[in-house]
Amino acid sequence: MKLFHTFAAAGLLAMTAAAPAAALDISGAGATFPYPIYAKWADAYKKETNIGMNYQSIGSGGGIKQIQAKTVTFGATDAPLKGEDLEKSGLVQFPMVMGGIVPAVNIEGVKPGDLVLDGATLAKIFLGVIKSWDDAAIKKLNPNAKLPAQAIAVVHRSDGSGTTFNFTDYLSKVSPDWKSKVGSDTAVEWPVGIGAKGNEGVSANLGQTKGAIGYVEYAYAKQNKLVYAKMLNKDGKTVAPTKEAFQAAAANADWNSVPGFGLILDNQPGAESWPMTAATFILIHKQPQDPAAAAAALKFFDWAYSKGEKMAEDLDYVPMPASVTAAVEKVWTAQIKDASGKPLYAAH
């Protein structure tokens, strides 16, 4: 946890101290899922251009509210808005990067990848049906593991969260019980467990609570040295969370099939696909209140697409394919304009 908060504080101080004209300062808020890569990109971009990017990692629900209220240059969400909602709010939506959600646990003697879970068992744990780590269903998936007779402590998000949306969407697809009793949304009525704010809060809780299980974006699990579980995917294959497995899940994605590129990538077929893969999205007004800040934000996103791939991969995110970024940049030119109708981004 220290890593992110220290990095964020240092980054924001640096951005404030050396910021040029306020109009060029880019402000954003929303999803915690992409925060590690947005922080890394912001730091590198600041060094290269002297333009600061202040991103508040407050959860997808907060990001949607702030962009609708026009208090930030852009919002960020892992739960894509539907076409009619984008139209109603005058927003453009596009995917920025992809990653994976992982079940993370704190069980003594269990190391990363030691434990295997499937969707049905995961749903029963979060429904409170499976209450102990030595339950027969978990043992069946892990015949050689030494699982303790220890109560399972469920940790879930307490804020409006795109990570929750994608996690519960997956559980709804693999468990009829989950679908009928809880369903899928950015915030749900959790049957059991304790709530924590952000991927950061869930990571911290997991680290402190023996017998715990939660769901976090993989970069948080990796950088906070959390123990993640492997998963059985839709094809019945055991897979580990890797950028290759996230890429496999996204390989056949038809991004143009949904308004605002709002594709859900969980439970995809394929022997190598990670079952809880997700994209994260940016929201920006078609006619921004501050055109200079919006133009600066689009330059930053263009830079991240073209120069940020290696940084994303280093944190086990998956960059968007070139065909998608080209389609996104056409949308920027066509739809994001100042009050006079002049495009704020020129395709190159």
Side-chain angles (χ1 to χ4, degrees):
M1 287 322 308
K2 204 167 180 184
L3 171 83
F4 291 124
H5 290 304
T6 308
F7 183 92
L12 294 184
L13 282 171
M15 289 172 198
T16 309
L24 279 181
D25 248 14
I26 307 160
S27 63
T32 67
F33 178 95
Y35 175 69
I37 186 57
Y38 289 178
K40 196 171 184 180
W41 280 340
D43 190 51
Y45 192 69
K46 174 73 179 175
K47 285 171 183 163
E48 192 173 309
T49 66
N50 207 34
I51 293 170
M53 200 272 275
N54 176 356
Y55 182 73
Q56 303 167 54
S57 175
I58 59 171
S60 295
I64 292 166
K65 282 177 186 162
Q66 287 217 22
I67 190 63
Q68 286 172 336
K70 301 184 178 179
T71 55
V72 288
T73 312
F74 69 90
T77 177
D78 310 323
L81 295 188
K82 293 186 166 68
E84 58 266 29
D85 295 322
L86 293 169
E87 281 299 316
K88 188 176 158 189
S89 298
L91 293 168
V92 171
Q93 172 177 272
F94 52 91
M96 202 63 223
V97 72
M98 296 173 282
I101 299 162
V102 298
V105 301
N106 183 346
I107 310 167
E108 197 165 337
V110 175
K111 300 187 295 297
D114 278 359
L115 191 71
V116 177
L117 295 170
D118 62 13
T121 305
L122 200 56
K124 283 179 182 171
I125 291 170
F126 277 81
L127 282 166
V129 175
I130 292 175
K131 302 175 189 294
S132 176
W133 283 113
D134 63 348
D135 187 275
I138 303 175
K139 278 184 166 178
K140 189 178 177 184
L141 290 162
N142 300 275
N144 301 318
K146 289 177 182 172
L147 294 164
Q150 181 179 33
I152 298 173
V154 168
V155 184
H156 56 73
R157 291 284 288 274
S158 60
D159 51 333
S161 155
T163 308
T164 294
F165 169 80
N166 284 289
F167 182 68
T168 56
D169 187 82
Y170 169 68
L171 294 184
S172 294
K173 283 174 181 166
V174 296
S175 165
D177 266 5
W178 184 274
K179 188 174 184 179
S180 65
K181 291 175 182 174
V182 183
S184 172
D185 209 337
T186 51
V188 297
E189 288 291 327
W190 294 98
V192 292
I194 53 167
K197 194 173 181 185
N199 272 286
E200 302 97 331
V202 174
S203 296
N205 256 283
L206 282 166
Q208 294 158 8
T209 311
K210 297 294 182 191
I213 185 168
Y215 57 95
V216 293
E217 199 284 317
Y218 181 58
Y220 287 86
K222 189 177 181 185
Q223 296 211 0
N224 289 292
K225 296 184 169 58
L226 299 178
V227 175
Y228 60 82
K230 289 179 178 174
M231 290 286 294
L232 281 187
N233 65 15
K234 192 173 186 177
D235 284 22
K237 304 292 185 188
T238 301
V239 286
T242 62
K243 59 179 179 283
E244 290 79 16
F246 307 152
Q247 185 73 65
N252 301 314
D254 182 2
W255 292 95
N256 293 313
S257 64
V258 191
F261 304 93
L263 215 56
I264 309 298
L265 294 170
D266 58 55
N267 206 37
Q268 293 293 313
E272 294 172 11
S273 295
W274 180 253
M276 291 187 287
T277 300
T280 189
F281 301 86
I282 297 294
L283 298 166
I284 195 164
H285 283 282
K286 289 181 179 179
Q287 192 177 319
Q289 254 182 343
D290 185 340
L298 294 175
K299 276 187 185 169
F300 170 76
F301 298 136
D302 178 40
W303 174 91
Y305 278 155
S306 60
K307 292 190 177 178
E309 289 191 352
K310 174 71 167 60
M311 284 177 264
E313 288 171 349
D314 286 347
L315 288 175
D316 292 277
Y317 290 93
V318 176
M320 300 308 301
S323 59
V324 178
T325 61
V328 165
E329 288 172 357
K330 281 181 185 170
V331 169
W332 294 349
T333 305
Q335 295 190 24
I336 304 173
K337 300 176 180 180
D338 65 14
S340 71
K342 182 185 173 187
L344 296 180
Y345 175 84
H348 50 79

